[in-house]
Amino acid sequence: MSRRRKGRDVNGILVIDKPMDITSNGILQQVKRLFGAAKAGHTGALDPLATGVLPLCFGEATKFSQMMLDSDKAYIATARLGVRTETGDSEGAVVAEKPVPSGLDAEALEPVLDRFRGDIQQVPSMYSALKHKGRPLYEYAREGIEVERPSRPVTIYELKLLDVRETEIDIAVSCTKGTYIRSLVEDIGEALGCGAHVTALRRTMASGFTLADAVEVSALESMREQGESLDGLLVAPDAALSMFPEQELEGSSLVSILNGQPVRISGQPAEGFVRLYGSGRFVGLAEGFPEGEVTKLVPRRLVKSS
């Protein structure tokens, strides 16, 4: 006897402006209940301290959550100088305090920040969600266990100083996936010789979505109380896949792809993921393999027609 699914079929992406002091999963569960959705997931957790852009995927859109997780991100962070904490943010206990260098201004900070622009190596925080032997690192950290973490390559596309105060700086960061802003701030503090930790963090972009695309949970709750449908706030899955080229299919090629079979198309050879469209709708992602003057398209993630 098959188990009955709880909730209704909801498909699409909703960008939430995550508030402070709640986990990403906590927000996901709230929004999932508001939509009455059967299936939903987020695209990379934000710390409880952090706020900002958190794309949520519903139904068929969850098939593309890994691609969204792998996308570039952008943040605005406030760093407190002169104080190091266990966690690299204001939630952790203070472990060291040192005086902030005198006369620290934008001119003095610029050469320090420049060390962290471009391709760098970064050691993840012990309080990250990275797994070691099946357990997230933060679980080991809470038990007082230090795990060796190899450095990882990340790219900082932009590191801009927004403001300098006596013991604080505000920075804007644009970076590749896997970049830990807490670790970046700690490394900047180390380079300054005084230490630092994050006191505020706001994600301003993820998966191509910005704060202008985001809605607050309180607005969703208000709409529900007034009997309004929330479904109109959802965007199609391909809205988060604009980094990939698109290919229109028709006839037998479209039928074959929808049946999970590879097809070959002529024209400019394509390599990597390709967005597929047919009969006026997005049908999924394929992976392209150039074969001379044609491309072999192998279906990877297909969406069901509604």
Side-chain angles (χ1 to χ4, degrees):
M1 181 177 176
S2 61
R3 295 178 61 184
R4 185 177 178 182
R5 292 181 78 194
K6 294 183 179 180
R8 64 192 182 95
D9 287 331
V10 178
N11 298 295
I13 298 169
L14 180 72
V15 185
I16 288 292
D17 186 347
K18 178 192 168 297
M20 193 183 296
D21 295 330
I22 187 170
T23 66
S24 296
N25 189 59
I27 284 293
L28 171 66
Q29 297 308 320
Q30 285 185 23
V31 176
K32 185 179 177 183
R33 284 194 297 270
L34 287 170
F35 273 84
K39 184 178 182 181
H42 61 67
T43 56
L46 280 171
D47 293 335
L49 170 77
T51 67
V53 175
L54 180 66
L56 305 180
C57 293
F58 295 87
E60 291 294 288
T62 60
K63 295 177 178 178
F64 309 98
S65 57
Q66 184 60 50
M67 286 79 177
M68 297 170 68
L69 182 63
D70 291 344
S71 69
D72 296 336
K73 312 289 192 300
Y75 304 86
I76 291 176
T78 296
R80 168 74 189 280
L81 306 178
V83 179
R84 288 178 52 235
T85 69
E86 278 185 334
T87 58
D89 60 27
S90 55
E91 295 187 325
V94 173
V95 295
E97 295 188 57
K98 290 184 179 181
V100 178
S102 60
L104 195 62
D105 57 14
E107 186 177 354
L109 279 164
E110 192 57 30
V112 175
L113 296 181
D114 198 46
R115 300 185 207 174
F116 300 95
R117 295 183 177 117
D119 298 329
I120 66 171
Q121 293 287 323
Q122 187 180 74
V123 177
S125 168
M126 269 301 299
Y127 283 85
S128 71
L130 278 179
K131 296 284 183 71
H132 174 74
K133 295 183 177 179
R135 297 176 63 198
L137 287 176
Y138 61 76
E139 289 188 1
Y140 292 96
R142 289 169 182 167
E143 295 171 4
I145 301 171
E146 182 83 11
V147 175
E148 185 176 352
R149 289 105 56 212
S151 62
R152 308 192 309 171
V154 298
T155 301
I156 308 296
Y157 300 119
E158 180 183 52
L159 176 53
K160 183 178 180 181
L161 182 65
L162 301 178
D163 193 19
V164 186
R165 298 178 289 282
E166 188 174 347
T167 59
E168 286 186 331
I169 61 173
D170 296 333
I171 56 175
V173 184
S174 176
C175 54
T176 53
K177 69 165 185 173
T179 303
Y180 289 93
I181 304 302
R182 284 180 297 174
S183 296
L184 176 63
V185 164
E186 287 182 309
D187 291 344
I188 291 171
E190 188 72 18
L192 290 170
C194 62
H197 70 276
V198 172
T199 59
L201 181 63
R202 186 155 176 77
R203 188 155 69 185
T204 57
M205 189 275 290
S207 306
F209 298 111
T210 68
L211 288 168
D213 304 305
V215 61
E216 295 182 353
V217 175
S218 59
L220 301 180
E221 292 172 335
S222 178
M223 290 177 65
R224 278 297 305 270
E225 289 173 1
Q226 296 174 29
E228 298 179 40
S229 172
L230 304 180
D231 291 5
L233 299 174
L234 297 171
V235 296
D238 57 326
L241 305 172
S242 60
M243 72 287 284
F244 303 127
E246 66 175 85
Q247 176 66 49
E248 187 78 24
L249 297 177
E250 57 185 20
S252 60
S253 292
L254 177 59
V255 172
S256 294
I257 281 287
L258 293 177
N259 286 328
Q261 300 168 350
V263 299
R264 287 172 172 79
I265 59 171
S266 58
Q268 183 68 29
E271 185 172 8
F273 286 115
V274 178
R275 285 177 291 147
L276 302 179
Y277 294 85
S279 301
R281 71 176 186 91
F282 172 65
V283 298
L285 279 184
E287 190 171 2
F289 297 91
E291 295 181 350
E293 296 182 355
V294 302
T295 298
K296 179 182 179 182
L297 292 177
V298 179
R300 296 302 189 199
R301 296 283 187 275
L302 302 178
V303 298
K304 298 176 183 176
S305 58
S306 55

